[in-house]
Amino acid sequence: MHTGIEGTNEVTRARCAVGEKLAVVLLLAAVAPLPGFAETPIRPDPLLLEGADPLIEDDGEETIPDGWAGYIGLGVTNGPVFPGSDKSEVSAALDVDLTWRERFFLRSDIGAGAYLLNSERTGGPVSLGFAIGYDDDERLSDDDPRLAGLDDVEAGAAARFLFEYEVGLADLEVVASRGLGSSGHEGTTVEASLGFDLPVGERTVISAAPFLIWADSTYMDAFYGISPAVSVTSGYAPYSPGGGLKQAGLELSAAYFLTERVGLFGQIEYGSLLGDAKDSPITFEDTALEVSLGVVLRF
């Protein structure tokens, strides 16, 4: 989940000019994880991650930052090896969340994209955007001996559509994603989250974001289904899941800034598989706990 930098209009932003070389590096980081890094990006709370001083015109109105604004985070994540796994692994994680003049964005959880409509520019509560990103959902037979004989579902490119609606401290975010890679699931998911941010003093913010994930039958069949042919090679009974709610959960996070731009964060995400995903014979654990710790640098 990512509560998104658009969910905190009241938070002030700092001016940040990033050169072409840094932009290229960040683009690669947003679209695909670097080798050796965790598949699930770290997601520090955005309320303290959007810079320090606002850009104020003589008439008292805030202006749009001239360059890039946002943050880069680096840390470690401990979470399930694959969806439905009862084993966890610890790995490094890189997160990028930057916008350029409130028109274009780089986000590790969504990708590289542009806003069709941005509340920062219109002054309204709605933002719309689209992106091409990296879908890190995958399940490989090498992940677990019990997956022998099953088809691999690899991570790959995804097309995404972003909708945000802001109401005070709450931010509703809906992200629809369609897998594009032929070796991946090629399915569609829709994730809805409602983020709440609460400042605690001048340096600390805590947040909570309940979420729901819906998946179509193509996605569900790729991760949780057993075809008759695969049943023969794997030894599992045939299983044909349908589309529907796949997961519900809650994300809690906190950020504490040591200086104006450098801070520490921690995050806990709890998720529970639902419906046909929970009942699949290759779901070895229907609940998952993911813990992330890291350092962030904001611009």
Side-chain angles (χ1 to χ4, degrees):
M1 224 63 47
H2 197 299
T3 52
I5 62 174
E6 305 308 325
T8 54
N9 289 339
E10 294 81 3
V11 180
T12 58
R13 300 173 180 269
R15 180 181 303 228
C16 174
V18 179
E20 293 183 358
K21 292 184 179 179
L22 180 56
V24 171
V25 173
L26 296 177
L27 174 62
L28 294 175
V31 174
L34 297 176
F37 281 81
E39 297 168 0
T40 303
I42 53 180
R43 292 181 290 272
D45 187 273
L47 192 58
L48 290 176
L49 300 178
E50 300 180 17
D53 300 325
L55 304 177
I56 304 296
E57 295 180 337
D58 294 338
D59 59 4
E61 296 292 329
E62 291 190 20
T63 64
I64 301 300
D66 286 339
W68 294 92
Y71 70 87
I72 301 174
L74 182 65
V76 293
T77 296
N78 180 59
V81 178
F82 58 88
S85 175
D86 57 359
K87 299 179 181 179
S88 62
E89 62 181 355
V90 178
S91 53
L94 174 68
D95 192 23
V96 176
D97 192 333
L98 296 172
T99 58
W100 184 80
R101 294 188 59 81
E102 305 302 342
R103 290 189 182 275
F104 304 98
F105 59 84
L106 300 174
R107 281 178 52 172
S108 296
D109 62 327
I110 294 181
Y115 286 107
L116 303 173
L117 180 67
N118 193 322
S119 61
E120 293 292 337
R121 287 183 169 272
T122 64
V126 176
S127 294
L128 301 173
F130 68 92
I132 297 296
Y134 186 81
D135 189 339
D136 55 32
D137 284 346
E138 69 175 6
R139 188 206 63 221
L140 307 177
S141 57
D142 291 341
D143 291 336
D144 192 309
R146 292 170 292 181
L147 301 179
L150 299 177
D151 295 331
D152 287 343
V153 184
E154 299 179 4
R160 293 191 170 105
F161 180 80
L162 169 67
F163 168 83
E164 289 185 347
Y165 188 83
E166 301 166 2
V167 183
L169 291 178
D171 177 25
L172 171 65
E173 179 176 278
V174 179
V175 179
S177 178
R178 175 62 182 268
L180 300 178
S182 59
S183 58
H185 56 75
E186 297 186 274
T188 299
T189 61
V190 179
E191 179 174 347
S193 63
L194 187 62
F196 299 89
D197 302 307
L198 176 64
V200 181
E202 297 181 353
R203 294 176 176 266
T204 305
V205 164
I206 60 176
S207 71
F211 64 88
L212 282 172
I213 303 176
W214 174 92
D216 68 0
S217 59
T218 301
Y219 178 98
M220 295 285 282
D221 189 62
F223 278 100
Y224 305 105
I226 305 291
S227 69
V230 170
S231 175
V232 174
T233 59
S234 67
Y236 291 103
Y239 184 73
S240 181
L245 288 178
K246 177 184 89 78
Q247 188 179 38
L250 175 66
E251 180 183 283
L252 300 173
S253 62
Y256 176 80
F257 272 80
L258 305 172
T259 69
E260 182 178 324
R261 301 195 180 280
V262 179
L264 306 174
F265 77 90
Q267 177 180 286
I268 298 176
E269 180 181 304
Y270 173 83
S272 178
L273 293 178
L274 306 172
D276 288 354
K278 177 181 179 179
D279 296 335
S280 170
I282 51 176
T283 292
F284 307 120
E285 177 58 62
D286 55 30
T287 61
L289 184 66
E290 183 177 299
V291 179
S292 301
L293 297 171
V295 179
V296 292
L297 173 65
R298 66 181 177 184
F299 297 91

